[in-house]
Every structure is written in C-alpha cells, then in structure tokens.
C-alpha cells in the first residue's frame, strides 16, 4: 500500500479561523471530482480557537504533489495565505485500520 | 453536526513502533462492529521513526468516551502502555470536506 496521509495544522491569525475554514471547505469541493483524493476533512481545534487541522488521504504521495499544481487549488492557497500565521505539515504512511479502504 | 475527531500522537519507546502498530491494528479490528466509530486509521510518521498518529472519527464525543469503557479496548490499552513513551491527544470538531459522510 502506497497511500499517503497528511495532517496539516494551520494556525489562523486571531479572529480569522472562520474565514479560513470557509476557504478550505471551498477547496474541498474542487477535490470532489479528484478520485486520487480519498479524504480531505477540515477540523477545528476544540482547545485552540485559532487552529485548524486538515486530514488528507491520497492514493499516493504523487497524487498529493500533483494536486498542488491544480489551478483551482493554487488559487485557494493564494487567497488563504494572508489568513494563515503558521503551517505545520505532518507526513504519514497509513498502515491500516477502520475506514481506510485498501 | 456533533461528530468528534481525535488525532492521537503516540511516541513509542525506541524500536517499539512496529509492535505498537500491530497492537493498534488489533484494536481497530474490535472497532469494526462498532457503528459509532467511523474512522480509526493507524499512520506511521514518515519523518520520525518512533511516532504513530491515529486518526479517529466518531459519531459524537460520547461514542468516543463510551469506547474507552469497552473491555477489549481497555485490554489493548493495558498491553500498549509499556510500549508508549508519550501521548499527545488533539481534540477536533470536523466541519466538512470530502469523505466526512455527514
């Protein structure tokens, strides 16, 4: 299995999380037709009012890299940048479990 | 939507990640029949050889709390404890995206 998971921790500038969440939800809609993207879930931190974590699951690391060349995705990234204070990516290799769909 | 997501970062004692991964995979099988558990994916860090991140998605926070009273789950936790150096839970509220299945 070559699947690729990324957790993206994003810290919004104070008061900007809601706006950032909306943008990411918009981005996720452009992924609906991209078969190689299996999960793209936007989560708000319960404990930190500025933090969002995105759960991404891709067919493989190449599919993820390719998505970053997609024009719609790039356009959203450009609009999101001014809202973001920090990004911390966590690169993962999913090994199994419930809901992975191998 | 009251769904509940938890990312669990676990740092295994050096050389113990593989054993811990096996135990968590075993735990995930006991969740297969638990409808309130929608995702329980075990991921190994690409960048840190001792780190595992578990992606959990539950119907609600209560379902997650209830699972921690399940005897099979508790038995696995007891066996996993000696392998684990540190745990860092991240509590999240999923707001939308691809694959969430609302």
């Amino acid at each position: 299995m070559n699947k690729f998971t990324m957790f993206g921790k994003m810290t919004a500038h104070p008061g900007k999380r809601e706006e950032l969440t909306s943008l990411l939800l918009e981005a996720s809609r452009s992924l609906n037709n991209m078969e190689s993207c299996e999960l793209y879930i936007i989560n708000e931190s319960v404990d930190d009012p500025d933090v969002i974590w995105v759960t991404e699951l891709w067919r493989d690391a190449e599919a993820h890299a390719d998505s970053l060349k997609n024009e719609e995705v790039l356009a959203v990234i450009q609009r999101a940048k001014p809202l973001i204070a920090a990004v911390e990516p966590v690169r993962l290799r999913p090994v199994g479990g419930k809901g992975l769909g191998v």
Side-chain angles (χ1 to χ4, degrees), chain A:
Chain A
M1 186 171 58
N2 295 315
K3 292 203 185 191
F4 177 73
T5 282
M6 174 98 96
F7 289 169
K9 179 183 182 180
M10 297 182 202
T11 306
H13 288 297
K16 295 293 183 187
R17 184 170 78 173
E18 200 176 332
E19 198 177 334
L20 183 56
T21 297
S22 298
L23 263 180
L24 293 171
L25 287 170
E26 187 183 322
S28 76
R29 285 190 286 274
S30 73
L31 298 171
N32 275 337
N33 297 322
M34 209 182 278
E35 267 184 41
S36 61
C37 174
E38 302 183 14
L39 290 178
Y40 189 94
I41 301 177
I42 295 103
N43 307 277
E44 293 182 338
S45 168
V46 171
D47 300 306
D48 185 328
D50 297 325
V51 169
I52 293 170
W53 284 83
V54 179
T55 315
E56 304 182 36
L57 173 63
W58 296 85
R59 190 180 52 211
D60 50 38
E62 289 68 34
H64 173 256
D66 283 349
S67 76
L68 297 176
K69 299 173 197 155
N70 179 289
E71 276 185 28
E72 279 183 74
V73 172
L74 287 174
V76 172
I77 290 174
Q78 284 309 317
R79 287 163 59 203
K81 271 186 180 170
L83 306 173
I84 299 173
V87 176
E88 192 185 311
V90 180
R91 300 186 305 149
L92 300 165
R93 186 176 47 246
V95 292
K98 183 170 184 175
L100 184 55
V102 282

